[in-house]
């Protein structure tokens, strides 16, 4: 009965959440060349009703192995869920790296900065801006969480079945190749193995994954959680027994409602 009630609520909400705008992340031209002049970084903006707004905002990084983006079920489909909780949503269409990792990193950092620069206009609190990512987008989100400084650093992170490490034994090899190129240097492999970059200053994390994920080994998210724990970073790890990889907001995921309920509870605890 609870599941049916929750489904009815979310179905009703999905009707009213619509994008307010799609804006360029780099209106004066993109930095860091990826070799594709037609690939542009954009933010799709979903703002909650002003009466519900909590000031919290989330920049969403869809996955796709750093070769494409799953913009719907790992992006825009999440807007009603968050808007209903008074949270502003900014879905990032980041550029593909084609071996130049600075490309998506700069896009994600600028997206965080842009939200903070426009905090008053978008009814957002500059100290309540988080980042969320799925799969390779989870790698990008955890990269920003562990590497970014000052106004580009998020206040919290939400990671779904994330690629975390660049260790060849556990990484998603397609993501690694697309992110760092065919022959990455050892230092780059270490620098972007984000479990190695966790410090006490890393923002608090919600991590969700499936035990039977054969695309991105669950050890990625589990090791990231362990490093958060070891460095006294508040973190919540949720491992679902089935589901595989790439479920995002799809209701076909067997633990869809449990996941939404647990994420809502975690957000309320911040």
């Amino acid at each position: 009965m609870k599941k049916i009630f929750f489904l009815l609520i979310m179905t009703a909400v999905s009707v009213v959440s619509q994008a307010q705008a799609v804006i360029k992340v780099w209106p004066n031209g993109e930095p860091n060349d990826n070799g594709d002049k037609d690939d542009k970084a954009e933010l799709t903006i979903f703002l909650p009703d002003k009466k519900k707004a909590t000031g919290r905002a989330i920049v969403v990084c869809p996955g796709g192995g750093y070769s494409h983006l799953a913009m719907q079920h790992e992006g825009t489909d999440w807007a009603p869920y968050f808007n209903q909780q008074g949270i502003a949503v900014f879905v990032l269409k980041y550029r593909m790296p084609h071996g130049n990792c600075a490309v998506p990193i700069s896009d994600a950092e600028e997206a965080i900065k842009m939200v903070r620069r426009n905090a008053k206009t978008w009814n957002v609190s500059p100290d309540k801006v988080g980042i969320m990512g799925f799969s390779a987008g989870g790698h990008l989100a955890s990269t920003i969480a562990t590497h970014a400084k000052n106004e580009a650093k998020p206040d919290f992170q939400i990671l779904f079945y994330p690629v975390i490490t660049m260790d060849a034994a556990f990484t998603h090899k397609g993501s690694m190749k697309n992110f760092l190129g065919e022959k990455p240097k050892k230092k780059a492999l270490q620098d972007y193995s984000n479990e190695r970059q966790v410090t006490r200053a890393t923002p608090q994390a919600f991590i969700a994954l499936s035990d039977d994920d054969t695309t991105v080994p669950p050890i990625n998210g589990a090791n990231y959680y362990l490093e958060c724990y070891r460095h006294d970073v508040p973190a919540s790890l949720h491992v679902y027994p089935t589901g595989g990889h790439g479920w995002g907001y799809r209701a076909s995921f067997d633990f869809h409602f449990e996941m939404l309920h647990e994420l809502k509870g975690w957000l309320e605890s911040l």
Side-chain angles (χ1 to χ4, degrees):
M1 182 63 70
K2 288 183 179 179
K3 287 186 178 181
I4 295 173
F5 179 70
F6 192 65
L7 178 60
L8 289 172
I9 291 176
M10 296 316 298
T11 301
V13 172
S14 66
V15 175
V16 299
S17 269
Q18 296 180 348
Q20 276 78 14
V22 179
I23 62 174
K24 293 180 179 179
V25 173
W26 303 104
N28 298 318
E30 279 81 0
N32 304 307
D33 185 18
N34 70 350
D36 183 355
K37 64 180 181 179
D38 296 322
D39 191 8
K40 306 294 183 182
E42 297 176 340
L43 271 184
T44 303
I45 304 170
F46 298 85
L47 301 179
D49 185 283
K50 288 185 176 180
K51 294 180 180 179
K52 289 185 177 181
T54 62
R56 185 166 290 152
I58 298 176
V59 172
V60 182
C61 303
Y66 284 124
S67 67
H68 63 281
L69 295 176
M71 289 293 290
Q72 291 185 317
H73 71 283
E74 293 180 349
T76 55
D77 287 353
W78 284 86
Y81 169 78
F82 286 121
N83 283 175
Q84 178 66 10
Q85 298 176 63
I87 301 171
V89 175
F90 302 85
V91 180
L92 175 62
K93 176 188 172 293
Y94 55 91
R95 292 171 295 153
M96 298 299 97
H98 300 298
N100 182 358
C101 64
V103 172
I105 290 174
S106 61
D107 291 350
E109 288 189 341
E110 182 63 16
I112 295 282
K113 292 178 184 178
M114 181 175 285
V115 172
R116 289 192 167 122
R117 284 199 303 268
N118 293 278
K120 187 174 182 180
T121 300
W122 293 331
N123 203 20
V124 166
S125 298
D127 60 350
K128 292 183 179 180
V129 180
I131 194 164
M132 172 168 139
F134 303 77
S135 193
H139 181 262
L140 180 58
S142 64
T143 297
I144 304 306
T146 54
H147 291 70
K149 307 294 183 185
N150 302 320
E151 68 271 20
K153 189 179 184 68
D155 297 298
F156 59 92
Q157 55 182 315
I158 301 170
L159 309 176
F160 287 93
Y161 38 87
V163 178
I164 294 291
T165 191
M166 293 289 103
D167 183 332
F170 302 111
T171 192
H172 178 253
K173 290 183 173 60
S175 296
M176 180 179 70
K177 174 185 172 183
N178 292 328
F179 188 65
L180 294 176
E182 291 280 357
K183 297 180 180 179
K185 294 181 179 180
K186 184 177 181 180
K187 186 178 187 304
L189 292 171
Q190 292 178 343
D191 286 348
Y192 294 107
S193 289
N194 293 327
E195 77 280 8
R196 295 171 175 258
Q197 308 306 324
V198 175
T199 69
R200 290 177 181 271
T202 298
Q204 53 196 316
F206 178 97
I207 307 163
L209 46 88
S210 296
D211 184 67
D212 64 347
D213 189 339
T214 58
T215 302
V216 176
I219 195 69
N220 279 259
N223 278 347
Y224 193 70
Y225 167 79
L226 289 173
E227 289 304 314
C228 287
Y229 177 82
R230 197 167 71 84
H231 288 87
D232 296 323
V233 174
S236 182
L237 176 64
H238 303 261
V239 183
Y240 302 104
T242 59
H245 188 78
W247 26 270
Y249 198 79
R250 288 173 174 155
S252 57
F253 173 47
D254 285 344
F255 300 93
H256 177 71
F257 298 103
E258 287 86 345
M259 176 270 294
L260 294 180
H261 178 72
E262 288 163 355
L263 177 56
K264 185 174 185 292
W266 181 79
L267 288 164
E268 291 172 349
S269 74
L270 296 180

